[in-house]
Amino acid sequence: NDALMVTLLNRTQNNMHIYRVNPADGSATDVYCETSKSWIDSELANSVTYGESTFVIPSERSGWAHLYEYTLDGKLLRQLTKGNEAITAYYGYDAKHRLHYYQRTAGALNRVVACVDEKGSEKVLGKQQGNTSARFNSDFSYYIEVFSDAKTPTQYRVCKASGKRVRDLQLNGDYAQKYSAERVPQREFFTFNNDGYDLNGYVIKPLDFNKSKKYPVIMS
């Protein structure tokens, strides 16, 4: 109630500050500073979530995008998430059960919804393959699960915060049938190595594909 929190990212995007500003007299206190030898993702810089006495900020300082919790005065309380996966969205904090909810990668192709407790123990909610996101209600007792993958059109379900399904809202069954593997070409995923890195790709072939024939190819 007595301060504004202001994020400042320089034009070359390698230096970021958060200031606690007194709106009455304009005085400012630097409560957070992050620098990078390369650059700071502006989307991460704009994804700070403020609570009553703390804020949660995503940072790639470890080489992976993870969540960190600070007091409003800039004291680091703890690193919320760890490991070789990147946080792609932060949904918020359930104060009653002391759980932080977020979306993260699960390999290069998948996105999962998960939560972490005060001891750093993580629980993945729902499917671990495909792309899952969530829309929580205000007290984090329920959420709408939004799921899709390469062969499944977007599906919407109501779930409890534990991940237990309550009911289906829309599964787009007619759409899935219309674009089934028997009717339209499907994506085939593969991995290849380039300069020591494993990269992901996919190919879409005609339904009547014959490997003994040559086809024109559009590459992206």
Side-chain angles (χ1 to χ4, degrees):
N1 293 327
D2 60 351
L4 293 173
M5 304 299 288
V6 179
T7 302
L8 180 67
L9 182 64
N10 67 338
R11 192 170 183 83
T12 51
Q13 291 185 216
N14 60 7
N15 190 288
M16 172 186 168
H17 291 265
I18 296 178
Y19 294 96
R20 184 185 175 106
V21 180
N22 184 331
D25 59 16
S27 61
T29 303
D30 193 349
V31 299
Y32 179 87
C33 176
E34 181 174 344
T35 59
S36 172
K37 293 181 179 179
S38 51
W39 68 300
I40 296 172
D41 190 333
S42 61
E43 186 173 337
L44 294 180
N46 287 314
S47 298
V48 186
T49 302
Y50 294 96
E52 292 184 3
S53 59
T54 63
F55 65 88
V56 174
I57 183 170
S59 170
E60 294 180 320
R61 69 186 71 171
S62 69
W64 298 86
H66 283 296
L67 298 172
Y68 299 82
E69 185 177 23
Y70 285 81
T71 67
L72 294 181
D73 293 325
K75 178 183 178 181
L76 176 62
L77 295 177
R78 64 190 178 113
Q79 181 177 341
L80 298 174
T81 60
K82 299 178 181 180
N84 294 344
E85 297 292 351
I87 303 301
T88 45
Y90 177 65
Y91 298 124
Y93 179 60
D94 176 2
K96 181 179 179 180
H97 299 98
R98 298 182 178 180
L99 295 171
H100 291 268
Y101 289 92
Y102 51 89
Q103 182 197 57
R104 67 162 172 81
T105 59
L109 303 180
N110 304 302
R111 300 289 183 272
V112 298
V113 174
C115 63
V116 63
D117 63 20
E118 288 189 322
K119 297 180 180 179
S121 178
E122 182 190 68
K123 177 184 178 182
V124 174
L125 311 177
K127 299 180 180 180
Q128 303 206 25
Q129 300 290 321
N131 191 320
T132 304
S133 61
R135 302 172 187 173
F136 283 86
N137 65 344
S138 59
D139 65 358
F140 291 92
S141 55
Y142 292 92
Y143 66 93
I144 295 177
E145 178 191 82
V146 184
F147 170 81
S148 66
D149 63 21
K151 297 182 179 179
T152 307
T154 307
Q155 298 180 337
Y156 301 87
R157 297 179 172 90
V158 177
C159 299
K160 290 186 177 182
S162 62
K164 182 179 179 181
R165 187 180 306 172
V166 177
R167 67 184 179 96
D168 298 330
L169 294 178
Q170 176 59 264
L171 301 184
N172 284 316
D174 293 341
Y175 189 90
Q177 187 176 6
K178 182 178 180 180
Y179 293 96
S180 65
E182 293 75 25
R183 298 190 178 193
V184 297
Q186 303 292 309
R187 295 185 182 189
E188 298 178 19
F189 293 91
F190 60 90
T191 302
F192 63 98
N193 189 278
N194 185 59
D195 291 335
Y197 294 94
D198 288 331
L199 304 178
N200 296 285
Y202 68 85
V203 60
I204 302 176
K205 302 172 184 175
L207 278 177
D208 58 353
F209 178 75
N210 185 336
K211 63 181 181 181
S212 65
K213 295 181 180 181
K214 289 187 176 181
Y215 294 83
V217 175
I218 296 176
M219 293 191 67
S220 174

